[in-house]
Amino acid sequence: MKTSGKMNYLFLSVIAFLILLPLSFLVFWSVSSKWLYPAVLPQQLAVKPFVQMIHDPSFFPAIMNSFVIAFAATFLTLIIALPAANYFAFQQQFSQRVIEVMIYLPLILPAVALITSSQVIFLKLGLNGSLLGVVLIHTYFCLPYGMQILLESYRQLGEGFSLTARSLGANRWLTFWQISWPLLRPGIATAASLVFIVSFSQYLPTFFIGGGRIVTLPLLLLPYANNGRYGIASAYSLLFLVCTIIGVWFLRKMIGGVQRGTKR
């Protein structure tokens, strides 16, 4: 038992080190004004990257747009994925392999081809350059993640509880809220968290469908990273990390999730 505990502690320590090491470099870059080879640590410290980031005119609109789009895409994905996963989990017409191909099709096909073809449709519908258009394209790319998690959750749950409730006189709506929702809540919270993170980090769909009018944090972050301005890029990366943690925490508090241990 002691050996197993030491191995677990060693394993967790290695994982923590691998996670904290890149984060430490982000922190160093975000507060450094001079960091040249072969110095191991920054040679001069400054908060200029954070000051420049905050004084960007697009800073606060980008944060607001990122949260609004990610939350809207998350809720729209759940609204579509919950009934779809319920149907595909228990239907007998298609094999599970066919269903998996259908779910992962948006991820298998090249993203640029899908986005450019979608842009033509969005232009005809008048959605290009609008917040609604960006939410819809984000939902399209987030659906595979939400569907797969909810599909497995429904398979694990089975039909027994719902059929029992229906046989006792409960309608579909009451059965979902009183039976399915509490039992599926950990899976729903996990799906919502993953979908939020995926939507929050989208760059190409926002760039093409947003038409430059809808600015989000990834649109501000990537140009600095590509141009070698690592200080402000690191500052935006830390802000991005904090925002995603806040969003995921809010979703899990609102939906609920797995409880630790068992109540006695």
Side-chain angles (χ1 to χ4, degrees), residues 176-240:
F176 174 77
W177 281 113
Q178 297 296 326
I179 305 297
S180 300
W181 176 269
L183 295 174
L184 290 172
R185 196 160 53 183
I188 295 173
T190 302
S193 302
L194 181 59
V195 167
F196 179 87
I197 294 172
V198 172
S199 175
F200 205 89
S201 61
Q202 290 294 324
Y203 175 80
L204 283 179
T206 309
F207 179 77
F208 279 94
I209 304 302
R213 301 177 186 175
I214 309 299
V215 181
T216 59
L217 283 178
L219 264 65
L220 296 181
L221 165 63
L222 232 63
Y224 290 113
N226 292 335
N227 293 331
R229 302 181 65 179
Y230 301 122
I232 190 169
S234 299
Y236 270 110
S237 298
L238 292 174
L239 174 66
F240 183 92

Side-chain angles (χ1 to χ4, degrees), residues 166-179:
R166 295 294 302 277
S167 66
L168 294 174
N171 56 33
R172 291 184 179 273
W173 187 251
L174 186 62
T175 300
F176 174 77
W177 281 113
Q178 297 296 326
I179 305 297

Side-chain angles (χ1 to χ4, degrees), residues 138-190:
H138 278 214
T139 303
Y140 176 79
F141 284 101
C142 290
L143 265 173
Y145 301 97
M147 276 289 298
Q148 186 59 38
I149 295 174
L150 293 175
L151 190 63
E152 292 299 325
S153 298
Y154 268 110
R155 288 171 180 168
Q156 293 292 327
L157 177 63
E159 291 185 285
F161 295 104
S162 298
L163 292 175
T164 302
R166 295 294 302 277
S167 66
L168 294 174
N171 56 33
R172 291 184 179 273
W173 187 251
L174 186 62
T175 300
F176 174 77
W177 281 113
Q178 297 296 326
I179 305 297
S180 300
W181 176 269
L183 295 174
L184 290 172
R185 196 160 53 183
I188 295 173
T190 302

Side-chain angles (χ1 to χ4, degrees), residues 90-142:
F90 307 117
Q91 58 81 36
Q92 302 294 331
Q93 297 176 349
F94 306 101
S95 67
Q96 297 302 317
R97 190 177 299 274
V98 172
I99 294 173
E100 289 181 358
V101 171
M102 292 170 58
I103 292 175
Y104 287 116
L105 198 59
L107 303 180
I108 296 173
L109 298 174
V112 175
L114 289 173
I115 294 169
T116 51
S117 60
S118 301
Q119 189 178 24
V120 176
I121 299 174
F122 279 44
L123 281 170
K124 292 181 179 180
L125 296 175
L127 294 174
N128 203 66
S130 66
L131 199 66
L132 177 59
V134 176
V135 170
L136 291 176
I137 196 67
H138 278 214
T139 303
Y140 176 79
F141 284 101
C142 290

